[in-house]
């Protein structure tokens, strides 16, 4: 492995690594716009120019030394781009020398010649790489006095991406992404020169299932999301890490929140799962149900109508409603949408308190969503978790014979935890034949209106827990939204606006829901039956789970966070901690552990 000197520091790296790669692996940032570790090298922006040299030799091939005995370094007259220059043994690189800094300032002055002053209205403002570098790597002034070159604005590339050609700095990241990652080659440079811009090929649309990833990797505000456009400034929001609710891939995400509402979902780097990417489906289709049409309080049916109730009265009504029904006539359905913690407690509640063996969960499979990248046919985030915890068809009644058992009157009570019966019309149509229907629900739906008891369940965005993806990786996540349940623990996870707003500020008028995590609801019901379960937080439940379920033994939240998830049965041998590259160094996401520097140096 070659060793070289970077800004006076000796670094050892793998053969074939470029200067910029070796720098990042060692926690050193070399300014750049166009380079990305998952894309081919383009060398467009020239922002990463550095001085490169090597020890000088005499005619006999011996290293020449100065009067102090140090090697004399012969630097290449022209600066080199760090993104395309491979490291060689003995190389000496200066990224903060006078010449390198002068080049960075010149590049920034050149890039800003025609860039519009859109910062006050640009969605990228506050997390823009051009803004950051203008502050850190430019002179702060321009010698350009002519009129700026104007280009088309608000160009619709596709259903989920809008292009502003004036803001584009021609880094070509979007073009390379379309070719190399998304495999939909529809973007290209045209009119190369001072009028260069990016256009779609004639008759094409940028409608790839991964199209919105170009918004993240764009270093400026040239590419924006119609879904998020003008909704908020980033400094008004919190960006808390989470796991995608869209499917079983376990893709890591950030939830952008303001006024206790999710405004956008973005990818969070995890090299073991989704790398830097996220599907458009996961971004757009799994947050509105969190913001709208929520069940906010417990409800019981009185005279054919659901009415709000207290938790105490609802728990008592639950026990009373099931008091005349034998355990063999009670069916419990867990959920691939619920956390491992909630599914574990559901099974414990069914077996130890209700004394029923009838427990199962429903699968939600859509083969049309599957692809060879991140697309996953399993449309729930935790089906494998439910299965590994014993929420399965081992009892006398399961999903395959449930409708028949209901129709015959053998199942009189059904408990649905975080399940909407989407795709199970036969079960839905049989519900009217039940004596008791109990639902743990996120939203007010036709299903909840059929229920005798409705418990307001916290969504993934309001919960702490774990999901197990379809490849068996267990991952921990925390809440991003505030409820009455987690109000005391959210603390500084809120944005500054939400945390410190006054009563007369419009962004403090959000609804504070009385929903609870399903495991906590079940713990309250257990107390109604005379059982005291001493769980105060999700961590307590997971601790018991890992003690009793073989595949999870040795795991805890700290281990899962450190390694960005651990595969089932591998708590003693987790994947190594790796460096997570961030395209935008000074984004708010950096505060949420976006940078995880490698511990391989100490392993």
């Amino acid at each position: 492995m070659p060793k070289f000197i970077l800004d006076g520091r000796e670094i050892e790296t793998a053969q074939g690594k470029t200067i910029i790669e070796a720098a990042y692996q060692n926690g050193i940032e070399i300014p750049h716009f166009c380079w990305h570790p998952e894309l081919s090298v383009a060398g467009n922006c020239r922002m990463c120019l550095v001085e490169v040299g090597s020890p000088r030799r005499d005619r006999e091939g011996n290293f020449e030394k100065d009067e102090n005995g140090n090697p004399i370094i012969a630097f290449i007259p022209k600066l080199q781009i760090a993104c395309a220059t491979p490291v060689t043994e003995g190389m000496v690189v200066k990224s903060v020398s006078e010449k390198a800094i002068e080049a960075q300032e010149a590049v920034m002055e050149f890039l800003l010649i025609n860039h519009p002053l859109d910062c006050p209205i640009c969605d990228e403002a506050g997390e823009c790489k051009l803004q950051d570098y203008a502050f850190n790597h430019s002179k702060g002034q321009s010698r350009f006095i002519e009129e700026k070159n104007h280009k088309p604005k608000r160009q619709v590339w596709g259903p989920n991406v809008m292009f502003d050609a004036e803001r584009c700095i021609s880094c070509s990241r979007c073009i390379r992404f379309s070719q190399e990652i998304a495999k939909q080659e529809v973007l290209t440079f045209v009119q190369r020169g001072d009028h260069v811009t990016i256009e779609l090929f004639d008759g094409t649309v940028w409608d790839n299932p991964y199209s919105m990833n170009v918004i993240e990797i764009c270093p400026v505000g040239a590419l924006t999301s119609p879904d998020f456009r003008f909704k908020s400034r980033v400094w008004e929001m919190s960006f808390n890490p989470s796991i995608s609710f869209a499917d079983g891939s376990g893709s890591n995400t950030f939830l952008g929140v303001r006024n206790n509402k999710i405004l956008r979902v973005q990818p969070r780097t995890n090299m073991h799962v989704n790398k830097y990417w996220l599907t458009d489906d996961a971004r757009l289709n799994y947050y509105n149900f969190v913001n709208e049409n929520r069940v906010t309080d417990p409800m019981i049916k009185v005279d054919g109508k659901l009415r709000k109730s207290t938790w105490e009265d609802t728990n008592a009504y639950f026990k009373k409603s099931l008091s005349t029904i034998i355990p063999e006539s009670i069916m419990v359905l867990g959920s691939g949408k619920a956390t491992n913690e909630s599914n574990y407690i559901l099974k414990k509640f069914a077996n130890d308190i209700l004394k029923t063996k009838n427990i199962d969960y429903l699968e939600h499979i859509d083969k049309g969503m599957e692809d060879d990248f991140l697309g996953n046919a399993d449309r729930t985030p935790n089906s494998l978790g439910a299965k590994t915890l014993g929420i399965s068809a081992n009892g006398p009644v399961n999903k395959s014979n449930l409708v028949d058992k209901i129709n015959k009157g053998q199942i009189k009570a059904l408990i649905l935890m975080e399940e909407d019966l989407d795709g199970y019309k036969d079960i839905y149509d049989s519900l009217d034949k039940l004596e008791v229907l109990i639902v743990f629900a996120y939203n007010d739906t036709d299903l909840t209106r059929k229920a005798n008891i409705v418990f307001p369940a916290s969504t993934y965005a309001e919960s702490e827990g774990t999901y197990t993806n379809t490849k068996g990786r267990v991952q921990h996540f925390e809440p991003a939204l505030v409820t009455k349940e987690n109000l005391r623990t959210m603390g500084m996870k809120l944005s500054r606006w939400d945390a410190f707003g006054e009563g007369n500020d419009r962004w403090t008028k959000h609804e504070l829901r009385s929903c609870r995590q399903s495991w906590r609801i079940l713990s309250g019901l257990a107390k109604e039956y005379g059982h005291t379960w001493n769980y105060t937080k999700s961590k307590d439940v997971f601790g018991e789970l890992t003690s009793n379920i073989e595949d999870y033994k040795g795991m805890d939240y700290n281990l899962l966070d450190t390694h960005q998830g651990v595969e089932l049965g591998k708590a003693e041998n987790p994947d190594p901690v790796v460096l997570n590259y961030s395209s935008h160094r000074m984004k708010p996401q950096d505060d949420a552990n976006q940078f995880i520097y490698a511990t391989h140096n100490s392993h």
Side-chain angles (χ1 to χ4, degrees):
M1 294 174 61
K3 295 181 180 179
F4 76 111
I5 305 297
L6 175 57
D7 296 329
R9 174 180 168 186
E10 184 177 75
I11 292 175
E12 185 175 7
T13 189
Q15 189 70 39
K17 291 292 184 182
T18 61
I19 295 171
I20 200 169
E21 289 176 314
Y24 256 99
Q25 287 175 348
N26 288 274
I28 300 171
E29 180 186 7
I30 294 178
H32 64 280
F33 287 110
C34 65
W35 177 76
H36 190 284
E38 283 289 296
L39 303 176
S40 60
V41 174
N44 289 347
C45 71
R46 322 307 286 180
M47 191 66 195
C48 65
L49 285 167
V50 294
E51 285 193 82
V52 176
S54 59
R56 193 165 69 190
R57 296 175 185 267
D58 58 23
R59 293 183 178 182
E60 285 73 34
N62 300 315
F63 290 115
E64 296 185 18
K65 297 183 179 181
D66 59 21
E67 61 275 11
N68 296 318
N70 298 317
I72 298 175
I73 307 301
F75 284 94
I76 301 173
K78 290 187 177 181
L79 299 178
Q80 305 297 304
I81 50 175
C83 64
T85 305
V87 170
T88 60
E89 182 68 35
M91 175 185 284
V92 177
V93 178
K94 294 181 180 180
S95 70
V96 290
S97 67
E98 184 176 337
K99 287 182 66 176
I101 291 173
E102 184 180 2
Q104 292 164 5
E105 292 174 345
V107 169
M108 284 303 303
E109 184 179 8
F110 173 74
L111 291 176
L112 292 170
I113 280 176
N114 288 310
H115 197 82
L117 296 177
D118 279 354
C119 300
I121 61 165
C122 180
D123 279 345
E124 192 77 0
E127 58 179 4
C128 174
K129 200 161 191 171
L130 195 64
Q131 281 184 330
D132 296 342
Y133 284 2
F135 180 78
N136 289 328
H137 303 292
S138 78
K139 292 182 178 179
Q141 62 184 19
S142 175
R143 292 166 289 178
F144 188 77
I145 60 174
E146 288 75 22
E147 183 180 355
K148 288 180 179 288
N149 180 18
H150 297 290
K151 298 179 183 179
K153 303 180 77 70
R154 296 177 295 279
Q155 294 178 278
V156 178
W157 274 5
N160 300 322
V161 178
M162 188 172 288
F163 177 56
D164 190 319
E166 278 192 342
R167 301 174 186 169
C168 178
I169 62 170
S170 301
C171 72
S172 80
R173 276 184 169 187
C174 57
I175 297 175
R176 285 174 284 148
F177 176 84
S178 71
Q179 296 170 342
E180 300 164 11
I181 306 296
K183 308 298 184 185
Q184 186 188 11
E185 192 171 348
V186 297
L187 302 174
T188 186
F189 282 128
V190 296
Q191 301 185 57
R192 287 180 180 266
D194 64 341
H195 283 71
V196 66
T197 187
I198 299 174
E199 290 185 359
L200 293 160
F201 292 140
D202 289 344
T204 64
V205 177
W206 179 231
D207 56 358
N208 191 274
Y210 299 90
S211 68
M212 295 179 73
N213 286 290
V214 297
I215 298 170
E216 257 76 49
I217 63 175
C218 178
V220 295
L223 297 173
T224 54
S225 161
D227 180 67
F228 177 71
R229 201 169 161 82
F230 304 131
K231 277 187 179 179
S232 180
R233 314 303 301 206
V234 295
W235 55 83
E236 302 168 355
M237 303 165 64
S238 60
F239 293 89
N240 289 310
S242 187
I243 304 297
S244 173
F245 192 75
D247 54 39
S249 68
S251 295
N252 287 216
T253 62
F254 281 109
L255 301 182
V257 175
R258 192 193 72 184
N259 197 24
N260 215 35
K261 289 185 177 181
I262 300 175
L263 299 186
R264 71 179 183 187
V265 181
Q266 295 176 286
R268 176 166 57 99
T269 303
N270 186 329
M271 298 307 294
H272 305 295
V273 182
N274 55 303
K275 293 191 174 180
Y276 311 97
W277 320 120
L278 191 64
T279 65
D280 290 4
D281 174 63
R283 294 170 183 265
L284 300 174
N285 299 326
Y286 295 90
Y287 72 85
N288 282 326
F289 82 93
V290 177
N291 297 339
E292 302 169 358
N293 191 34
R294 293 294 301 279
V295 177
T296 58
D297 294 280
M299 295 187 289
I300 59 177
K301 186 163 283 184
V302 180
D303 298 328
K305 291 185 178 181
L306 286 172
R307 302 185 186 279
K308 289 185 179 180
S309 178
T310 65
W311 282 100
E312 293 76 12
D313 289 347
T314 308
N315 290 345
Y317 190 72
F318 177 98
K319 182 179 179 182
K320 179 181 178 182
S321 299
L322 297 181
S323 61
T324 60
I325 300 176
I326 61 174
E328 290 77 11
S329 294
I330 300 175
M331 179 66 189
V332 178
L333 283 178
S335 177
K337 301 175 183 179
T339 62
N340 286 319
E341 290 76 1
S342 290
N343 276 317
Y344 173 81
I345 293 299
L346 179 69
K347 186 170 188 280
K348 182 176 180 178
F349 185 84
N351 292 343
D352 297 354
I353 295 178
L354 298 181
K355 307 296 184 183
T356 181
K357 297 180 180 178
N358 304 325
I359 186 167
D360 203 354
Y361 75 97
L362 303 180
E363 295 179 316
H364 296 270
I365 305 297
D366 183 354
K367 291 290 186 181
M369 299 299 292
E370 192 171 31
D371 61 30
D372 58 0
F373 192 19
L374 295 179
N376 198 298
D378 188 346
R379 307 313 296 166
T380 62
N382 197 35
S383 286
L384 184 58
K387 184 177 180 180
T388 56
L389 296 173
I391 310 293
S392 58
N394 295 325
V397 183
N398 52 62
K399 57 178 171 281
S400 62
N401 63 12
L402 176 59
V403 173
D404 180 60
K405 297 292 186 181
I406 293 175
N407 290 336
K408 290 179 178 178
Q410 296 173 349
I411 291 296
K412 300 180 183 299
L414 176 61
I415 300 173
L416 294 172
M417 185 185 76
E418 302 183 41
E419 177 56 65
D420 56 15
L421 299 183
D422 185 29
Y424 289 88
K425 188 175 183 301
D426 55 341
I427 297 179
Y428 178 83
D429 290 341
S430 70
L431 297 180
D432 291 333
K433 298 178 182 179
L434 294 167
E435 292 184 16
V436 180
L437 174 62
I438 300 167
V439 177
F440 294 47
Y442 310 135
N443 303 103
D444 179 23
T445 63
D446 291 339
L447 174 62
T448 59
R449 287 187 280 274
K450 282 181 176 287
N452 303 94
I453 302 173
V454 179
F455 289 106
S458 295
T459 65
Y460 75 102
E462 298 149 330
S463 302
E464 179 178 20
T466 56
Y467 287 149
T468 305
N469 73 4
T470 52
K471 294 184 178 180
R473 193 173 194 87
V474 185
Q475 299 182 94
H476 171 235
F477 62 95
E478 295 181 330
L481 270 64
V482 179
T483 65
K484 290 181 180 179
E485 177 191 27
N486 67 26
L487 181 60
R488 293 180 62 187
T489 60
M490 282 296 289
M492 295 305 292
K493 290 167 67 68
L494 297 174
S495 72
R496 285 171 292 185
W497 276 36
D498 288 341
F500 302 116
E502 297 295 334
N504 60 340
D505 293 323
R506 60 180 172 82
W507 59 87
T508 62
K509 302 296 189 294
H510 59 260
E511 177 181 49
L512 192 61
R513 306 179 184 103
S514 187
C515 54
R516 295 179 180 176
Q517 295 175 87
S518 291
W519 69 260
R520 194 180 294 276
I521 298 172
L522 291 162
S523 295
L525 291 171
K527 187 176 182 180
E528 188 68 32
Y529 281 85
H531 294 253
T532 301
W533 291 350
N534 294 318
Y535 310 120
T536 59
K537 48 188 178 294
S538 299
K539 184 178 181 179
D540 299 334
V541 180
F542 192 69
E544 182 179 311
L545 183 162
T546 57
S547 297
N548 295 329
I549 307 298
E550 185 64 32
D551 285 339
Y552 294 83
K553 285 189 175 180
M555 295 185 188
D556 59 45
Y557 285 172
N558 288 335
L559 182 71
L560 300 183
D561 291 341
T562 299
H563 296 272
Q564 291 190 285
V566 175
E567 292 185 21
L568 291 169
K570 293 187 177 181
E572 299 300 321
N573 187 30
D575 291 320
V577 178
V578 297
L579 170 67
N580 281 347
Y581 168 80
S582 174
S583 176
H584 295 44
R585 180 67 185 264
M586 296 173 71
K587 273 189 176 183
Q589 287 94 317
D590 292 346
D591 295 334
N593 199 27
Q594 174 72 339
F595 277 87
I596 303 177
Y597 285 104
T599 60
H600 62 264
N601 292 328
S602 59
H603 280 180

